[in-house]
Amino acid sequence: MSIPYRFEPTASAASLRAEFGEIEDGTETGTNATIAGRLMLRRVQGKLAFGTLQDSSGRIQLFAPSKVTPNFEDFTGLRLGDWIGVSGEVMKTRKGELSVKVQEWVVLAKAERQFPDKFHGITDQDMRFRQRYVDLWVTEKSRDNFVMRSKIISLTRRWLEDQSFMEVETPILHPIPGGALAKPFTTHHNALDAELFLRIAPELYLKRLTAGGFERVFEIGRVFRNEGMSTRHNPEFTMLELYQAYADYGDIMELVENLVEYLCLEIHGTTVLTYGERELDFSAPWRRASMVELIKEVTGESVSLDMDMDELRSLASGFAVELRESYGTGKIILEIYEKMVEGEMWDPIFVTDYPKEVSPLSRDHRSLDGYTERFEGIVAGRELCNAFSELIDPAEQRRRFEDQAKLKAEGDDEAMVVDEDYLRAMEYGLPPTGGLGIGMDRLVMLLADAHTIRDVVLFPTLRPEQFDPASESQAADEDKVAEA
């Protein structure tokens, strides 16, 4: 069989439906079209065959009478999943199905493995994630999720550019891990004989650019954290980070709620969505409440940085919160909040005013001693974003880096180290700045009503698969036999 080197469609399934979808049943248009895609369904009724061709825009029926379709026997012997090119007249059958009458056809690629049919789909979830190239054809929801993801990323860029933000690119290989509390992946550069780290956040580089005079910058890109996996965590994920000079965390709250509201309206036409059979209202403004306020609201217990340490530890133990000896009052308050409160928050809320102990890059709160001007956006019981009024005092930043370095020396793999070059940039002067990080995968999950991050990441990280070339070849042969 000769496979052509190229093929030129003149139409898509969607364009044909747009142009001819309303013609009357039993109509022949006299218009020819050439389309290409996978054969997803096929049935033969004597001297008449029907098929469903799917391209990137959707599906359309193929109508193949033996008197019209050349090599009819070969056409009826096509396997599900075969790529074919078809030319013929656009028509609508008497039963009202828009179709292309197959007057010419050619095989563009053979499916050497048995392709799942659209009625049964893929029942093995592990197969869905490992073999996304199959999942995208047979799971409509999956394809829709990734089309939506592409639109969300594109719309986010456009919206930020309309707000005068400039998109930049910063290094993925870092000489020093920083910008977030997380364990990095390490690698080695042979020419420099130097240990490097996949970035856990672009934050410190973006703030260098703010110090360099770029007043509004953003980056959408992959970050890497050597941590466990769950329905909300993948070791590599997509982060939006941005920095706005002359702004504080209040300005960034407004930016977040306005951006998400815009995305909801553009994608769904409404700010009221359903997530897991519960309603979520993303309309601005979102509620704002401090961490200690919410702990009191949910648990009935008051906490503060001034509490006696033994009393606070006893309270945490009563909530079954696991503590380390190194934890101060701020860290214990955060642990209580994360164990008892965060998962109870449903509608969008900005949880504000985090303890300084757990916020090494955040600016001191202007009116609350021991706290910082930091917030996290929480939706459906999970973190969506993290943001600060950025710390701009290099001496204070050095002290906090040194505190982090002590924690790392004591065995905390997620603690930061002292970044001397970033401190040098701050010493040249960093203006008042508001900063933000949004997990774009989690945002897509919310807008797509997806409940695992693997449903919105095209190729999620999975346990390595063991391949046996001999058995793989045998499996392909068995697929052919099963199809026959």
Side-chain angles (χ1 to χ4, degrees), residues 403-453:
D403 288 342
Q404 286 288 305
K406 290 177 184 177
L407 293 175
K408 182 171 282 293
E410 293 170 0
D412 187 345
D413 291 334
E414 296 186 349
M416 297 182 187
V417 296
V418 179
D419 188 332
E420 292 290 351
D421 179 68
Y422 176 65
L423 291 170
R424 180 170 56 190
M426 293 183 74
E427 289 166 356
Y428 278 101
L430 179 65
T433 300
L436 168 69
I438 294 180
M440 296 303 290
D441 310 284
R442 293 186 181 181
L443 179 58
V444 175
M445 286 173 65
L446 291 167
L447 270 59
D449 192 17
H451 298 271
T452 171
I453 195 170

Side-chain angles (χ1 to χ4, degrees), residues 33 36 47 112 138 158 165 212 233 240 300-301 332 363 373 416 439 479:
K47 297 296 184 180
E112 299 292 343
V138 300
R158 183 191 311 165
F165 281 86
H233 296 88
L240 160 66
E301 299 287 349
I332 295 173
R363 192 168 184 177
E373 295 197 350
M416 297 182 187
D479 282 346

Side-chain angles (χ1 to χ4, degrees), residues 1 39 41-42 44 62 69 71-86 102 105-111 483:
M1 179 187 300
L39 184 67
L41 284 175
R42 183 203 60 217
V44 182
L62 303 178
T69 303
N71 302 315
F72 180 77
E73 295 288 333
D74 292 336
F75 184 84
T76 61
L78 290 169
R79 304 182 75 200
L80 297 186
D82 284 348
W83 291 82
I84 59 174
V86 173
V102 183
W105 67 278
V106 63
V107 174
L108 302 176
K110 294 293 293 182
E483 178 70 10

Side-chain angles (χ1 to χ4, degrees), residues 261 264 270-273 279-286 346-348:
E261 181 181 63
C264 288
T270 177
T271 58
V272 180
L273 309 182
E279 190 174 275
L280 275 173
D281 187 352
F282 285 98
S283 58
W286 299 1
W346 184 258
D347 282 317

Side-chain angles (χ1 to χ4, degrees), residues 142-190:
S142 184
R143 179 181 286 266
D144 290 345
N145 283 352
F146 292 108
V147 170
M148 183 185 297
R149 179 189 176 103
S150 178
K151 289 180 180 178
I152 289 170
I153 299 294
S154 177
L155 288 167
T156 298
R157 282 193 167 96
R158 183 191 311 165
W159 189 87
L160 288 171
E161 288 168 351
D162 287 345
Q163 311 302 313
S164 300
F165 281 86
M166 180 178 72
E167 184 172 13
V168 296
E169 294 177 310
T170 63
I172 291 177
L173 290 174
H174 288 189
I176 296 174
L181 299 175
K183 183 178 179 180
F185 288 94
T186 61
T187 187
H188 187 82
H189 190 283
N190 292 334

